[in-house]
Amino acid sequence: MLLKKSKKILSLLYVLLTIFILGAIMNLIYSSTADKSSPAVTVFAASSLTDSFTAIGDLFMANNSGYDIVFNFAGTSTLNAQLLHGANADIFAAASESQIKVAYDNGFIDDYTVFAKNKLVLITPYDNNKIGKIEDIGNEGVSLVLSSEVVPSGNYSRKTLLMMEESGLYGEGFYDRVIENVVSEEINVRQVVAKILLNEADAGLVYITDVTDTNKDRINVIHIPDIYMPEILYPMAVVTGGSGKSVASKFMEFVLSDSGQELFLKHGFETGIK
């Protein structure tokens, strides 16, 4: 047990160090381009928004000539670290309210708006037969991948597991048994998906929006009952120190428009939360 705790601490320290290093690197990159005049609006967005925001950006630019949207996708805690190290952004879109409140507490935003909602699912490699139902992730010999608990997807995953244990339906010590099976903690949810696609673990907890047309034929999806689902909200805000506030506000309005919300629905998000 002591060895397990030591490994968990080392894993968490590794994730935090990686976030710090990424923040420092992005600070250098953005600082080097800060003086260049550009009509681009820089959007910092959670990695789970990659597909949907890319589509939103393309549609926005098609409908608004003369504007350019530049995306920086990463784990939400990494994005917060980048802002803290001086990286330039016009919009911050997070995968949790707690993370965007960190940006608020640090003075990077004045207010935020929730624009979408998500859910967790369990995924397994297509040819893996160890996992047939959600409770199997607590079985001995199963290997599980989660996002680190310092990023929203990892935090949500642990909340789900705790709710399952508290239900009393999955056996005594369910949460601890599952955590014992964690072989890797990733810095963002996209890396959890990658591990499963590479067959490096038996299962992983990800967002339902991470199951896409490009990977759905290579994984199995096991849905989690809604009663064990934490509220997964996506907020966004205009960054106070950004260089393009008017265009940033225009982009936010587009995200909340009927056209923008329809795109989120197509990518598996829930909407209607304005």
Side-chain angles (χ1 to χ4, degrees), residues 51-143:
D51 295 336
S52 57
F53 258 39
T54 298
I56 286 277
D58 289 342
L59 186 58
F60 177 83
M61 289 185 288
N63 293 338
N64 298 273
S65 60
Y67 295 125
D68 188 19
I69 306 296
V70 177
F71 290 107
N72 173 32
F73 295 108
T76 307
S77 53
T78 300
L79 298 174
N80 258 320
Q82 291 170 4
L83 289 172
L84 192 61
H85 284 84
N88 296 317
D90 299 302
I91 288 178
F92 181 31
S96 77
E97 284 192 287
S98 62
Q99 281 292 327
I100 208 161
K101 285 175 181 176
V102 171
Y104 175 83
D105 291 340
N106 286 326
F108 297 126
I109 65 171
D110 292 328
D111 198 3
Y112 65 85
T113 301
V114 173
F115 63 91
K117 187 177 180 180
N118 214 337
K119 288 185 177 182
L120 292 173
V121 292
L122 186 73
I123 61 171
T124 69
Y126 185 76
D127 58 353
N128 187 300
N129 298 316
K130 280 190 178 181
I131 309 295
K133 50 190 181 298
I134 185 68
E135 54 263 44
D136 290 344
I137 58 176
N139 293 344
E140 186 176 353
V142 167
S143 57

Side-chain angles (χ1 to χ4, degrees), residues 138-156:
N139 293 344
E140 186 176 353
V142 167
S143 57
L144 179 68
V145 180
L146 299 178
S147 301
S148 168
E149 60 188 314
V150 303
V151 297
S153 54
N155 182 268
Y156 292 135

